[in-house]
Amino acid sequence: MASSWLKRGRLLLILLVPMAAFRVSPVETKPPQRPNIIIIFSDDHALRAISAYGSPYIRTPNIDRIGREGAVFTNMFCTNSICAPSRATLLTGKYSHVNGHRDNYTTFDAGQAMFPKYLQQAGYQTAWIGKWHLKATPQYFDYWEVLPGQGLYYNPNVIQMDGKTVRKEGYVTNLITDDALNWIDNTRDASKPFCLVIGHKAPHREWQPDTTDLHAFDGKTFPLPATFYDTYEGRQAAQHQDMQIATPTMRLGLDLKVDIDTMPIIKRMNPDQLRAWKAYYDPLNKAFKAQNLTGKALDNWKYQRYMHDYLGCVLSVDRNVGRVLNYLDKHNMRDNTLIMYSSDQGFYLGEHGWFDKRFMYEESMHMPLLVRYPPKLKPGTVTNQLFVNTDFAATILQTAGLPIPPDMQGKSFLPLPKSTAARKAVYYHYYEYPADHRVLPHFGIRTERYKLIYFYGKGEFWEFFDLKADPDEMKNDYANPKNQALIARLKQELKALALGNKDTEAADMLAKEGI
């Protein structure tokens, strides 16, 4: 009897085991869903024009939302503060001297290894839509549609994958977002994960707001920054530059829209756009000419006009960031999408009397970065750790579950708060001289508190700043005897960074300095 029950038990076990395996196996072997990745990359967006960074000028609720639902990076820095090289670093994860793109005038080697290549090989769909600015045909993208050069704000031309250039009707920030959402919605293969770069032109010079935003700051007077009339005492490179708002370099015509009928963009506008512009700018220009302003009164007028137009462009960027976030919510893509908002570098909003960027000073090298990725980032995270833009590519690959190639110079800044990319110091090297603003070439090191810069190309000299005691970088304290031991140590750290990052040009210059 016992033998009979034993045989029946064995038979039941034989029957049940395959059934159990059939039920469990698909769950165990199903690969995890790979995340989508969206990088929104604007142009020349200053930290002080984002309310998540405490802007006194503007509210940016949609950009802020990324940080509120994810993380705000307070110490993200670019390694070469200029448009095209920053994009090259984003793509390659390498410094300018390694990826070969040091300034805006060279042509990018778009065939070199970049993060979209590795994503494609792993089955991702890749796309770049908007400002590209790399003087080369995009590669490793399943879809691309880019602005020629800097692009235009109104009714811009767009280069398509078939090589044709077409004109699109509308405002550039809206059009880029339209095309990006259309690609996600209608063109991509929905069975595959994707990585999309949305490249905005705004708020780049010549700061031409959408008609919707022309009157956004009517009646608003922006106080001049405390450093607006900086005399640059003790700072040779600052004395040598050519990017002051108070000089003709800030052009009354093209930049500040005096006599708009002479501006080339007018010829591209449709009747409604032109009507809105004339209704806004003509009364302002009439009043300006009647005042015949000079001296500080003229400086202030130029600053107000600059700020109104620059911030008007930012409003459009923020609104379109909101469109992307709302799309992800509507299509249940929020929780499986890493979304990043950043800019190619910082920008001057009148600090030291300047516009533009380029310098290793704080307003220029300091980049915004806000990241949302629910699986890995706790809402409301704020990190003060030091990161640089070589880290973007590595972060993207790691998020996709891919190894970081050994020749990439960045590290992933995720997961927080214990990122291996966090640095004790960051390295910077700027090259483009004399165009466009006579900023001397220079390289340097920035720690949490100190900054040491070596300028060259028109005489060689050093600058040293204690960012805690002098956050506006008004006093070059290099010659102070009290700082010599600290400066000597920073020089050694700078040399180590130059060598570690394979910047042999900088290392050779330091060797000639006896370092």
Side-chain angles (χ1 to χ4, degrees), residues 58-242:
I58 190 173
R59 300 295 93 191
T60 51
N62 297 296
I63 295 172
D64 294 356
R65 179 184 163 193
I66 297 175
R68 187 173 65 252
E69 297 176 356
V72 176
F73 290 68
T74 64
N75 281 315
M76 170 60 71
F77 299 97
C78 64
T79 54
N80 182 4
S81 183
I82 191 167
C83 300
S86 184
R87 285 168 177 76
T89 295
L90 163 69
L91 285 163
T92 64
K94 299 173 183 177
Y95 288 87
S96 299
H97 58 272
V98 176
N99 66 45
H101 207 68
R102 301 183 180 204
D103 56 45
N104 279 341
Y105 296 96
T106 51
T107 298
F108 180 57
D109 174 13
Q112 65 183 291
M114 302 186 290
F115 80 77
K117 176 182 180 179
Y118 300 113
L119 290 178
Q120 276 190 332
Q121 292 172 346
Y124 267 76
Q125 291 181 99
T126 57
W128 187 299
I129 298 172
K131 182 172 179 178
W132 168 250
H133 197 215
L134 286 169
K135 292 187 178 181
T137 301
Q139 295 189 41
Y140 310 127
F141 292 101
D142 297 294
Y143 181 83
W144 57 265
E145 188 173 81
V146 299
L147 302 172
Q150 292 286 358
L152 299 170
Y153 275 105
Y154 280 87
N155 309 324
N157 291 336
V158 174
I159 305 172
Q160 299 180 325
M161 291 186 70
D162 59 7
K164 294 180 180 178
T165 298
V166 300
R167 170 181 166 133
K168 294 206 170 186
E169 193 79 5
Y171 187 70
V172 67
T173 312
N174 302 329
L175 292 171
I176 289 169
T177 306
D178 291 345
D179 292 339
L181 295 181
N182 181 64
W183 179 78
I184 298 174
D185 210 29
N186 300 313
T187 306
R188 70 182 179 93
D189 181 349
S191 68
K192 298 179 179 179
F194 69 85
C195 177
L196 167 65
V197 181
I198 304 174
H200 285 304
K201 170 185 174 60
H204 193 279
R205 193 181 188 185
E206 285 110 1
W207 316 297
Q208 297 169 356
D210 192 356
T211 55
T212 303
D213 301 309
L214 289 173
H215 293 275
F217 297 95
D218 283 0
K220 176 71 173 179
T221 299
F222 298 101
L224 290 177
T227 62
F228 188 85
Y229 286 109
D230 187 355
T231 60
Y232 318 121
E233 181 180 357
R235 286 162 287 145
Q236 296 179 52
Q239 295 170 21
H240 187 71
Q241 53 67 40
D242 179 27

Side-chain angles (χ1 to χ4, degrees), residues 405-435:
D407 63 337
M408 272 192 179
Q409 295 176 290
K411 300 178 182 180
S412 175
F413 49 67
L414 297 179
L416 295 176
K418 296 181 179 180
S419 169
T420 59
R423 293 163 168 80
K424 293 183 179 179
V426 301
Y427 183 70
Y428 183 94
H429 198 158
Y430 172 82
Y431 302 87
E432 188 175 289
Y433 178 80

Side-chain angles (χ1 to χ4, degrees), residues 115-387:
F115 80 77
K117 176 182 180 179
Y118 300 113
L119 290 178
Q120 276 190 332
Q121 292 172 346
Y124 267 76
Q125 291 181 99
T126 57
W128 187 299
I129 298 172
K131 182 172 179 178
W132 168 250
H133 197 215
L134 286 169
K135 292 187 178 181
T137 301
Q139 295 189 41
Y140 310 127
F141 292 101
D142 297 294
Y143 181 83
W144 57 265
E145 188 173 81
V146 299
L147 302 172
Q150 292 286 358
L152 299 170
Y153 275 105
Y154 280 87
N155 309 324
N157 291 336
V158 174
I159 305 172
Q160 299 180 325
M161 291 186 70
D162 59 7
K164 294 180 180 178
T165 298
V166 300
R167 170 181 166 133
K168 294 206 170 186
E169 193 79 5
Y171 187 70
V172 67
T173 312
N174 302 329
L175 292 171
I176 289 169
T177 306
D178 291 345
D179 292 339
L181 295 181
N182 181 64
W183 179 78
I184 298 174
D185 210 29
N186 300 313
T187 306
R188 70 182 179 93
D189 181 349
S191 68
K192 298 179 179 179
F194 69 85
C195 177
L196 167 65
V197 181
I198 304 174
H200 285 304
K201 170 185 174 60
H204 193 279
R205 193 181 188 185
E206 285 110 1
W207 316 297
Q208 297 169 356
D210 192 356
T211 55
T212 303
D213 301 309
L214 289 173
H215 293 275
F217 297 95
D218 283 0
K220 176 71 173 179
T221 299
F222 298 101
L224 290 177
T227 62
F228 188 85
Y229 286 109
D230 187 355
T231 60
Y232 318 121
E233 181 180 357
R235 286 162 287 145
Q236 296 179 52
Q239 295 170 21
H240 187 71
Q241 53 67 40
D242 179 27
M243 54 192 217
Q244 290 172 279
I245 293 171
T247 68
T249 302
M250 174 72 85
R251 303 164 297 188
L252 286 174
L254 290 176
D255 292 328
L256 303 179
K257 292 79 176 177
V258 175
D259 295 323
I260 62 171
D261 290 336
T262 65
M263 297 180 64
I265 195 66
I266 294 299
K267 297 179 180 178
R268 298 191 66 88
M269 289 185 174
N270 62 42
D272 288 340
Q273 293 165 344
L274 181 57
R275 189 178 303 112
W277 261 50
K278 290 186 73 65
Y280 177 66
Y281 286 109
D282 280 354
L284 294 174
N285 290 336
K286 183 178 179 181
F288 166 69
K289 292 173 183 178
Q291 294 176 78
N292 196 27
L293 300 173
T294 59
K296 291 187 175 182
L298 176 59
D299 299 344
N300 185 63
W301 184 91
K302 292 176 73 175
Y303 179 71
Q304 300 305 322
R305 177 78 276 124
Y306 165 49
M307 291 292 285
H308 279 238
D309 288 347
Y310 177 95
L311 295 172
C313 294
V314 171
L315 287 177
S316 181
V317 172
D318 183 72
R319 187 164 55 248
N320 279 279
V321 168
R323 291 178 61 198
V324 176
L325 295 176
N326 291 340
Y327 178 93
L328 296 177
D329 288 346
K330 181 179 179 181
H331 292 83
N332 298 316
M333 299 170 70
R334 176 186 182 276
D335 290 340
N336 195 43
T337 300
L338 168 73
I339 185 164
M340 301 163 48
Y341 179 84
S342 188
S343 180
D344 46 7
Q345 62 260 324
F347 209 68
Y348 290 103
L349 299 181
E351 299 89 357
H352 307 285
W354 295 338
F355 68 99
D356 209 72
K357 56 266 185 178
R358 302 169 192 268
F359 275 112
M360 195 185 162
Y361 303 142
E362 287 298 283
E363 295 87 354
S364 172
M365 73 178 295
H366 219 147
M367 302 170 66
L369 177 63
L370 304 97
V371 182
R372 186 184 74 183
Y373 186 39
K376 298 290 184 180
L377 279 175
K378 181 180 178 181
T381 297
V382 177
T383 177
N384 300 318
Q385 295 174 301
L386 302 178
F387 300 101

Side-chain angles (χ1 to χ4, degrees), residues 409-484:
Q409 295 176 290
K411 300 178 182 180
S412 175
F413 49 67
L414 297 179
L416 295 176
K418 296 181 179 180
S419 169
T420 59
R423 293 163 168 80
K424 293 183 179 179
V426 301
Y427 183 70
Y428 183 94
H429 198 158
Y430 172 82
Y431 302 87
E432 188 175 289
Y433 178 80
D436 283 329
H437 292 283
R438 289 210 315 259
V439 173
L440 292 169
H442 57 285
F443 59 90
I445 181 175
R446 185 203 190 278
T447 70
E448 290 185 358
R449 177 169 178 174
Y450 302 108
K451 185 179 294 183
L452 182 67
I453 312 173
Y454 180 75
F455 289 92
Y456 63 95
K458 197 175 179 66
E460 291 74 37
F461 53 92
W462 292 89
E463 291 185 356
F464 169 78
F465 301 96
D466 180 341
L467 300 174
K468 182 178 180 180
D470 180 23
D472 294 325
E473 297 168 299
M474 296 290 285
K475 181 182 180 182
N476 176 14
D477 216 20
Y478 180 77
N480 188 335
K482 296 180 180 179
N483 295 326
Q484 296 314 299

